[in-house]
Amino acid sequence: MSALLVTAGRTGQRQDGRDLRLEPVTAHAYRAFLASRTGEALGPGFLQCPSWARVKDGWRPLLLGWGPAPAAGGLTGVALVLLRQFPGTRRYFAYLPEGPVADWADPDVDGWLTPLLRYLRGVGAFAVRIGPTPAHRRWHPGPLKSRTGTGMRLADVLDCEVDPLGTAVAERLRARGWRRCGDDTGDGGDAQPRHVFQVPLAGRTVEDLWSGLNQEWRRNVRRARKAGVEVVVGSAAELPDFYRLLCVTEQRDGFRLGRSAAYYERQYAALNTEEPGRMKLYLACHEGEILAAHTMITVGRRVWYQTGASADHRREVRPSNALQWRMMLDAHAAGADVYDMRGVPSTLDPADRSFGLLRWKLGTGGQVVETLGEWEKPLSGTANHTLYRAFQAYLARR
């Protein structure tokens, strides 16, 4: 496809006087940007890595980049776009999971967002969903622990911090006709978790991390060590053990991810082919048996605990606490700025079954972060708006 000359707004030029070009880029150029100082500063997530396109079946991927000279490596932003064909048509729903990787602090957001939408409309997209990366609000453990109770939710607790950038981005998107998916509580609507749990690592020592754990967590880590729990980094050969334990965990805890063993095998192969060690499988072993297995993903200076699984028996030796402590230490040793434990529920009601996950993560001394969540917009044109409404009805029936 030919490159698209980008000019912002009605002036034909960005506010800083530079013209941008938007065009498809190679996976090599895309990865080089993510690894650059500029790209790393934008905090890209693993869902925007080129390898993620090989993980998601049923989607047609596009790798796009914009900047003064994208083909020559002059990039200022990139986007992995996943296109899902609407049955019976040649039109697509465009999804950018936790993307695009762009400078959301740029007040001239139209300078790169408008041409992106124009390009997607040109390739047959009728609507777009994005996941802006700025945070919106944060809660520290203390206030949350003191406000648990019947019917309580995160939104009922005064936030400890409000990110001004997140607030500004939300206002800019609303002014441009974007609609936030799901409701204000963050339940439903988003494909990726709106509320995540993060443990800050930058500027902290190992002793700081240890003292940040609550008493129960420190006791459980010591108990695991005393019981002889050994934590090792596994390989693809142990993925069947991980998946077996994941099925046990889903049944015990009452949730269903709906992913096959082949999904995790494909993910492990794709991410580690892109960069060796990008995805690791940690195993907690006791008396020769794997009792827990957790996956960890690294991109730049960010580390994610993605999925955890554990056995029903010998839980008293606390294999999952041992795993998390080792993973946190490894992330710290690798120079990560944050250890992201991914999604948490918005409930603060101890009677709610899902509250146990939040309670467990709160013990690490991190904080709940509300992201901006996901935003959707039908592209211009009556036909696109009609298709968008039909697509929403189609999803509601599935």
Side-chain angles (χ1 to χ4, degrees), residues 244-257 291-294 305 307-313 315 318 320 343 345 347 351-358 360-361:
R244 173 181 54 81
L245 290 173
L246 180 59
C247 292
V248 171
T249 304
E250 288 180 335
Q251 184 173 4
R252 179 183 67 237
D253 295 345
F255 68 92
R256 176 66 175 157
L257 294 176
L291 293 183
H294 295 178
Y305 154 50
T307 307
S310 61
D312 280 343
H313 59 286
R315 296 172 64 80
R318 303 299 180 184
S320 293
T347 181
D352 193 316
R353 190 172 187 176
S354 64
F355 174 74
L357 177 64
L358 175 58
W360 186 70
K361 292 182 179 181

Side-chain angles (χ1 to χ4, degrees), residues 34-35 40 44 49 275 278 298-304 334-337:
L34 294 186
E40 190 175 89
C49 287
E275 182 175 314
R278 170 148 286 168
T298 302
V299 178
R301 299 177 68 86
R302 298 179 66 191
V303 170
W304 294 262
D337 291 331

